[in-house]
Every structure is written in C-alpha cells, then in structure tokens.
Amino acid sequence: MMDYKVPTMAEMAARNETPEILFWVGCAGAFDDRYKKVTIAFAKILNHAGIRFAVLGTEESCTGDPARRAGNEFAFQMLAMSNIQVLDMYSVKKIVTACPHCFNTLKNEYPGLGGNYEVIHHSEFLQQLINERKIRPADGQPFQGKKITFHDSCYLGRANGIYNAPREVLHALDADLVEMKRSRAKGLCCGAGGAQMFKEPEKGTKDINIERIEEALSTGAETIAVGCPFCMIMMTDGLKNKNKEDSVRIYDLAELIAQAGNF
Amino acid sequence: MTIIQQILFILSLGIAAWLVSRRILIISKTIRLGKDENLTDQPGQRLATMMRIAFGQKKMFDKPWVGLLHFMVYAGFLLINIEVLEIILDGITGRHRLFEPLLGDFYPVLIGFFEILALAVLVACSIFLVRRSTGIVSRLQPTRHRELRNWPQLDGKLILIAEIVLMMAILTMNAADSTLQDLDNPHYPQTGTFLISQFLKPVFAGWNEHGLVIYERIAWWVHILGIFAFALYVTYSKHLHIALAFPNTYFTRLVPKGEMKNMPEITSEVRIMLGIDNPPHSEVQAVPERFGARDVQDLSWKNLMDAYSCTECGRCTAACPANITGKKLSPRKIMMDTRDRLEDIGQNMLANKGTFSDDGKALIGDYILEEEILACTTCNACVQECPVLINPLDIILQLRRYKAMDEAKVPASWNMMFQNIDTNQAPWKFAPGDRFNWAESLPK
C-alpha cells in the first residue's frame, strides 16, 4: 500500500521548495461528498505518477465563476484578485484542475486581472501522463470491452475546444467508447452552468439533466464518464430520477483511471 | 420612346438609391448608439475568418444539403449582379445588351452561366419555400416558436417568393429576347441561343413582334424594379444578413468562447477594497452610470451589429438546452428583440430630428423578459451554431449584470450563493477551514 502525500503550498514554501504543478481542487472537489472521491482519485494518480505537486488547502477560494455568470462582477473580482494575490505570492506557474469552470476562469479570465498561469484541465494532464507512460491504466483492465459514453462539458468543449483529451484517456482503458447523439461541439449541457447549479430551473417541460441522462442511457453504456463536478452532480440526479443507479454508473475520468490502475 | 424609358429608369434608380441610403444611415446610426469595443486587432486572422465563414459559407455546410441549396442562392445572388450591372447601364444609356459587342462569342456563354445560376436560385428558393411552409423543420415553425409569429414568418416567405419571381422574369425575358432575335428585330442584337431560356421559347411561339417587345420590356422592368425594391426591402428585413454577414464575421471576438468580458470599471474599486491600491481621494474613479446593460445603448456596437445580422434561422434556438426543454429562453428571440428595439429607436430618432427622445422603455423588461435571461446555462451552444458568428450569450450576460448589480434583483437562491461566497469563499455553505478535510481520507 502506497503512502499518499498531499503537501500544501505553505508547507512547501516553508521547506523552500516549489512544486511542478499546483493542483487546484475547487469548491466541489473540496466540499461535495461525491466529488471529493474524484479529488482523492486524482491525488492518488499524482502520487503514483511521481508528480511533485501541491495544493493550496485552506488558502484556496472559489474562482468566482458562478458569481460572475450570475451577474455579480464585484463578487467575482474580489475572489479573483485575492486568489491571484495568493497564487503570485507562491510564484505559481502551472495549475491543474479537475473542474472545467475553474479551468476556464483561471485560464481565460484571470489574465485580464493580472493573473497569468499555464492552466491545464485534468483530462489533458491525464492524457499526458498516459502518453509519457507515467501511469498504465489498463493494467487492471476492469473496463476492457465495456461500453462507456462521455458527456462533454460545455466549459471544456465549446468554451475551450477540448474534445479529444478526455476521449483519449478513455481509449487507454481499452473500453468500447460510444458517442451520444449530441456530442462534442453539438453536446448538450447538463443544465448546471451559468450558475444554474445554485437555483431552481425556470419553468419548462422538462429539466435539462433529465433530457441529457435519457440521451446517455439510450446509448446502452453501463458507464457514463464525465470531466466536471457540475456534470457529475446533474447526471447523478438524472440517473436517480430514472431509477438506474444500480445498473449504470457515473464516474469522473480520474476515478476511471485510478480504478483501472488499482490505485 | 426610349428616352422616356431612360428618364423613368434614371428616376427610379435615384429614388431607390436615396431610400436605401437613408435606411443605411439610420441603421448605422443606431449601431453606433452602442458602446465602444475594439475589435480591430489581428487583421489577418479576421480576414481569414470572414473569408471562411461569410465568403466560404463554412458553417452552412454543417448541414450539407441545406448548405448546398443556400450556396446556390448565395452564388447566384453574388454573380448575377454582374448582369444587373449591364441592365443598369442599358437602362441609363437606352441601349440593349451593352456588353454584347464587347464580349462577342463569350457573351452567350456568360449569359448561359447566369441562366444556370438563375435556375439554381429558382429551384433552391422553391425547395426552401416548401420546406418553410410544410412544418418539417421545427425551428422554423411559429406554432413552436412564439418569436416567429406574424411578421417574421411572412418576411421569410416573401423574400423567397420575390426571388422566384425575379428569376422567372429574367429567364422569360431572355426567351422573349431570343424570339425577337429570330425575327431580326433591329433593337435586339444577335447573340445566339441561351442555355436555359431556349427551352422557354415555345411559350412565345405564336406571339407577334409587338407583343414580344412588350413582354420583354415588362419582364425587364419587373426584374430591375424588383431588384431595387429588394434592395430597399432587405434593409427592413432579416435578409440584411446578405450584407452584414461579412463585417459581422470580420469583427467577431477572437477569444475562447468561455471567456466572459471583463469589467475594468470595477477593477479599481475592488483593488481599493482589497487594499491593493490606496489612491488619494481625488484619484478615486467615478462610479459608472450603470452596471451591465439595461437597454441597447449599454451594449457594444458589435452586439447591435449582431442583431441586424441575424437571419432568424433559429439554429441557436434549436441547440439551446433551455429552449429544448421548454423554457421561455430563445437565443434567436434575444437577437430579434434587440433588433426590434433598435428599429423602434431608429423610428423615434427619425421622428425627433435625429436624436432619441426617451420612450420609457428598455430592452430588458419591455422586450426581453427576466425569465428568459435567467434560464441561460451559458453553454455556448447558440454561439457555436450561428452561421454568421452572432453571440447571443454576450447580450444575456450583460443583461444579467444589470439585474444583479444595478437593480440587485436576482433569485433568492443566487443571493444566498453570493452571501456564501462573501463569507465562506465558496458558493456552498461550508466553513473555509474545512476545505482541506478531503485529504484526511487518503491512506497515509
């Protein structure tokens, strides 16, 4: 059994060390019970791959994405500027995060406020680790030949054009990747973006996550892969609504890799 | 006789030019009501985008058959204008087929080519008209989309009918012309047979020379007056996209779709609040008059050009998750409402000696409903789908900023989220000190 270590930036700074990457956990990754498992899986992967990383721990704050998209620019900029102060204090150069909303904000919106970092989504980072053979996910082979469908998150796909990295990560599992009718640039939102996660949906004929889970289920896949905490929460709710939690599972890319590698 | 026609022609050309330029003036005046936004960086990239998207119609081919039909109408429209040039010069000079002596043997080849285009336009427009009228395309149905009721629905059909009539006029005009050539009428130069219209000649077989000349003249006048009317009509219609698609794609935002516009007017205040800057009182910037957008004047000129460029095809709305699941939001309606507001302001300006007199209305509330902008998931599907790179999301987000910051009117649960962010630095109610607790469950 491996000893897992998750050093904080403060600890590293005290030892006069600098990590290769900062793992930006995000609020969902830190507080949501389901998504904490993803955070843990990714921390295990980083340990196994021998990556020198650190987290901010209690010094991390929300990036401000939901506040900004709900129209509250003041709240967004307050968070963004204090995050930039912290990041710059530790001279952070490279950030990896599992949340596409954090990813988009850190990568595209912090530069406008003076925060310039190389920001990588964990799907791209996992792809790199696999390509460099730092992790060998298919060793355990629990997904070989199993039908998996990938739900594109808007903030990774359309917002930033990342469609291939998550699919290549899934290919490394030797799984049978099936596409939903609406995928890639035509993908359908889970319904949570733009701060919808934090309020009831407007009146309609159906909730968006129900429409999307129906589409995912119609592929016949027994595993639905996601790369975003919001998508995870919305799709899981949809699955419960359809009473399919026993036959179909929803996992984040990092969890699939960690399971496959027996981490 | 010819001189009267020449005078009438020059007169109608002048009136058409005056009416069209008056419209262009008022449209550009309303676009310039918008705020400044600098979109002139990277000219090479911009030109390439325009060539690919507007000139090359790239996004139209996402649906290959529709793309092909639309391309036929588009290519026909662009190239037949060369023939229109000849028609205008003929009209002014009182000559007939002015280019014929210059081009010689190539002339009938050229006309034949235009006739193929005319036939292609005729076929494509007929298919589009049937498609639009039979209800096979959900996004074009007023029963399904309230923003299409009344005028927009009629507008979509009128232009198709107009194009069919114009193309029939040009083809039958050429057929009558050929028949007159066969009769050696001195006013009609011998050009040889035309590629498509020769098959229409049997229609004119029993006609006498006088009747043929009258028909040829009527068809000529219908065609050219139709084009003048079309040019004016387009400025009132969704079909303005035929002109604005080009500048609109040139001036598109060249940043990742996920990047939301910054508000620099807030940054200095935030820096002071965080104690990063400590300027003397005199240097504290004035608080802007308004946060976000309440009306079109608060949007950028590009948002407003977007509105005039929208052809109401509804691909945005068909891809919108909120609309798909029955919510009131339709990105197409956001663009149509913005344009309607601009048209109303334009009329207001015309009636008030060129300046806008406050009519007590606003884009949000009187045109776009709060419920619509609240339903947006910011997924960028509408932005992705637009064939001419319109960005409805940008407008939605600016209206949200007005609601959140100027009116402080957002759903209670969003206020709760803002509060959590304020006190816990997270959108959920968790203690910031617990943020690192997840690591405890890792085996050590």
Side-chain angles (χ1 to χ4, degrees):
Chain A
M1 192 75 172
M2 185 162 182
D3 275 351
Y4 294 104
K5 289 198 170 57
V6 187
T8 61
M9 289 301 284
E11 286 164 16
M12 280 221 161
R15 291 199 299 267
N16 225 351
E17 288 173 3
T18 42
E20 249 175 272
I21 60 159
L22 167 70
F23 171 26
W24 184 276
V25 176
C27 302
F31 293 123
D32 180 76
D33 280 336
R34 176 66 189 86
Y35 221 67
K36 273 195 242 177
K37 293 181 180 154
V38 178
T39 310
I40 290 165
F42 192 62
K44 285 181 175 176
I45 293 170
L46 292 173
N47 272 278
H48 274 273
I51 305 294
R52 276 193 323 117
F53 76 101
V55 297
L56 281 172
T58 52
E59 286 185 285
E60 191 185 288
S61 298
C62 172
T63 58
D65 160 83
R68 181 171 236 199
R69 264 121 196 115
N72 192 339
E73 184 75 0
F74 277 106
F76 164 72
Q77 289 203 12
M78 289 290 279
L79 287 168
M81 301 271 219
S82 35
N83 277 324
I84 290 169
Q85 279 185 307
V86 174
L87 291 167
D88 287 350
M89 176 179 78
Y90 289 120
S91 308
V92 169
K93 300 271 180 296
K94 198 167 166 181
I95 302 174
V96 177
T97 178
C99 174
H101 293 265
C102 297
F103 166 71
N104 178 68
T105 305
L106 291 166
K107 178 173 183 278
N108 298 322
E109 297 181 350
Y110 277 25
L113 298 170
N116 293 288
Y117 319 99
E118 184 191 348
V119 189
I120 305 169
H121 183 249
H122 80 325
S123 60
E124 294 175 290
F125 195 73
L126 289 170
Q127 190 198 348
Q128 278 174 33
L129 293 180
I130 293 164
N131 288 348
E132 293 164 8
R133 306 185 74 78
K134 287 189 178 157
I135 45 170
R136 292 158 184 264
D139 286 357
Q141 297 188 346
F143 299 103
Q144 201 177 41
K146 293 252 172 74
K147 258 192 188 175
I148 296 183
T149 189
F150 177 68
H151 163 76
D152 286 281
S153 44
C154 313
Y155 274 73
L156 192 61
R158 275 188 298 267
N160 288 289
I162 298 172
Y163 301 109
N164 288 333
R167 287 176 171 79
E168 288 193 25
V169 170
L170 294 174
H171 274 304
L173 301 171
D174 281 340
D176 174 17
L177 184 61
V178 286
E179 292 289 354
M180 286 183 242
K181 205 173 84 220
R182 286 174 283 209
S183 67
R184 293 181 174 260
K186 304 264 174 197
L188 187 78
C189 179
C190 69
Q196 299 296 330
M197 175 63 98
F198 305 100
K199 71 166 185 50
E200 287 300 312
E202 276 39 62
K203 207 175 136 280
T205 49
K206 196 191 252 186
D207 282 346
I208 296 171
N209 62 332
I210 303 297
E211 172 85 7
R212 188 53 166 168
I213 200 74
E214 283 171 0
E215 196 168 8
L217 291 174
S218 73
T219 62
E222 50 273 90
T223 304
I224 300 167
V226 296
C228 170
F230 289 4
C231 296
M232 169 74 87
I233 295 168
M234 297 305 275
M235 297 297 271
T236 306
D237 281 354
L239 204 58
K240 277 183 198 147
N241 182 283
K242 295 279 161 194
N243 289 317
K244 291 274 181 179
E245 329 86 292
D246 295 330
S247 50
V248 177
R249 305 270 172 203
I250 301 173
Y251 290 116
D252 182 88
L253 298 166
E255 291 179 300
L256 292 169
I257 295 295
Q259 278 184 45
N262 274 328
F263 298 162
Chain B
M1 185 63 198
T2 347
I3 187 81
I4 297 171
Q5 284 202 40
Q6 275 172 266
I7 292 168
L8 281 176
F9 180 82
I10 293 168
L11 210 62
S12 39
L13 179 66
I15 291 171
W18 181 70
L19 289 172
V20 170
S21 60
R22 213 174 66 119
R23 280 293 294 166
I24 293 173
L25 224 63
I26 192 75
I27 289 169
S28 71
K29 202 166 177 178
T30 50
I31 288 177
R32 276 179 288 135
L33 286 174
K35 283 186 175 168
D36 247 0
E37 181 178 10
N38 188 3
L39 294 166
T40 51
D41 59 317
Q42 307 177 60
Q45 171 90 41
R46 293 187 175 282
L47 195 65
T49 307
M50 184 181 83
M51 292 309 280
R52 204 172 62 241
I53 305 291
F55 197 74
Q57 307 260 299
K58 182 174 176 287
K59 286 203 162 189
M60 287 306 292
F61 285 96
D62 286 357
K63 299 177 195 293
W65 283 109
V66 184
L68 185 70
L69 290 171
H70 184 268
F71 190 82
M72 281 154 60
V73 179
Y74 160 76
F77 172 78
L78 275 189
L79 297 171
I80 291 175
N81 277 320
I82 302 171
E83 198 183 7
V84 173
L85 179 71
E86 186 191 38
I87 291 175
I88 287 176
L89 293 176
D90 279 349
I92 295 170
T93 58
R95 301 269 296 275
H96 187 66
R97 297 200 182 270
L98 192 69
F99 292 170
E100 196 273 333
L102 304 172
L103 296 172
D105 288 347
F106 183 63
Y107 187 79
V109 179
L110 190 68
I111 297 293
F113 176 62
F114 291 146
E115 286 199 346
I116 294 174
L117 289 174
L119 184 67
V121 172
L122 191 67
V123 169
C125 287
S126 306
I127 295 173
F128 280 152
L129 192 59
V130 171
R131 187 167 163 265
R132 193 171 269 274
S133 308
T134 51
I136 44 174
V137 187
S138 160
R139 65 188 153 89
L140 300 176
Q141 294 318 303
T143 43
R144 167 75 181 78
H145 299 282
R146 68 195 197 285
E147 69 269 24
L148 290 183
R149 282 175 209 156
N150 307 321
W151 163 242
Q153 183 195 14
L154 182 65
D155 184 19
K157 288 180 184 164
L158 277 182
I159 207 93
L160 290 169
I161 294 168
E163 294 206 48
I164 292 170
V165 170
L166 286 177
M167 294 306 123
M168 300 233 291
I170 204 171
L171 287 173
T172 55
M173 176 185 88
N174 281 348
D177 189 315
S178 293
T179 314
L180 282 162
Q181 291 180 35
D182 296 344
L183 296 173
D184 287 328
N185 184 303
H187 194 65
Y188 293 87
Q190 296 291 329
T191 58
T193 13
F194 297 132
L195 201 61
I196 307 289
S197 61
Q198 57 175 308
F199 300 107
L200 294 170
K201 277 167 79 176
V203 176
F204 299 100
W207 292 42
N208 67 29
E209 197 164 342
H210 186 64
L212 282 168
V213 171
I214 288 181
Y215 184 86
E216 192 276 336
R217 282 294 88 194
I218 288 175
W220 188 90
W221 277 99
V222 165
H223 184 70
I224 193 65
L225 286 181
I227 285 173
F228 291 164
F230 182 95
L232 181 63
Y233 175 78
V234 155
T235 65
Y236 287 98
S237 145
K238 76 191 192 80
H239 299 283
L240 192 52
H241 80 281
I242 61 178
L244 284 182
F246 293 89
N248 205 60
T249 49
Y250 183 86
F251 292 115
T252 191
R253 289 177 79 208
L254 298 173
V255 296
K257 287 194 187 70
E259 183 182 333
M260 202 170 149
K261 264 184 210 160
N262 205 4
M263 287 182 76
E265 62 268 39
I266 281 175
T267 311
S268 56
E269 199 167 325
V270 170
R271 289 177 73 87
I272 295 163
M273 283 163 83
L274 287 174
I276 301 172
D277 289 340
N278 214 346
H281 272 300
S282 57
E283 277 180 33
V284 175
Q285 284 186 3
V287 179
E289 193 186 325
R290 176 169 296 148
F291 294 114
R294 175 177 173 267
D295 209 344
V296 286
Q297 296 93 332
D298 307 317
L299 296 168
S300 92
W301 64 268
K302 177 59 169 65
N303 297 137
L304 307 185
M305 187 193 262
D306 271 0
Y308 279 113
S309 308
C310 174
T311 198
E312 302 164 17
C313 70
R315 291 175 187 220
C316 50
T317 294
C320 172
N323 195 275
I324 287 170
T325 54
K327 280 123 191 129
K328 277 220 170 97
L329 171 63
S330 161
R332 167 172 56 193
K333 182 176 173 294
I334 301 289
M335 302 320 299
M336 291 169 71
D337 288 341
T338 306
R339 180 177 176 148
D340 286 350
R341 177 63 181 148
L342 285 170
E343 285 287 346
D344 288 350
I345 287 179
Q347 291 309 313
N348 180 310
M349 286 163 89
L350 277 179
N352 290 293
K353 299 189 182 97
T355 48
F356 175 60
S357 119
D358 190 12
D359 59 0
K361 288 186 178 175
L363 181 60
I364 180 80
D366 294 304
Y367 297 78
I368 298 170
L369 306 174
E370 191 180 330
E371 184 181 342
E372 295 171 39
I373 60 156
L374 282 176
C376 174
T377 68
T378 70
C379 76
N380 266 302
C382 55
V383 185
Q384 175 74 40
E385 290 303 306
C386 181
V388 294
L389 308 184
I390 290 169
N391 191 333
L393 175 58
D394 194 32
I395 296 178
I396 293 172
L397 289 172
Q398 292 182 70
L399 296 172
R400 271 195 190 170
R401 280 176 169 167
Y402 172 73
K403 279 280 158 197
M405 291 188 289
D406 219 286
E407 285 197 325
K409 221 178 132 213
V410 292
S413 44
W414 271 2
N415 269 329
M416 194 94 85
M417 183 252 294
F418 295 156
Q419 244 173 54
N420 287 334
I421 279 181
D422 249 4
T423 49
N424 307 322
Q425 293 82 52
W428 289 287
K429 201 173 181 175
F430 289 107
D434 293 342
R435 202 177 256 278
F436 194 35
N437 291 0
W438 62 269
E440 284 163 16
S441 48
L442 270 169
K444 287 201 179 82

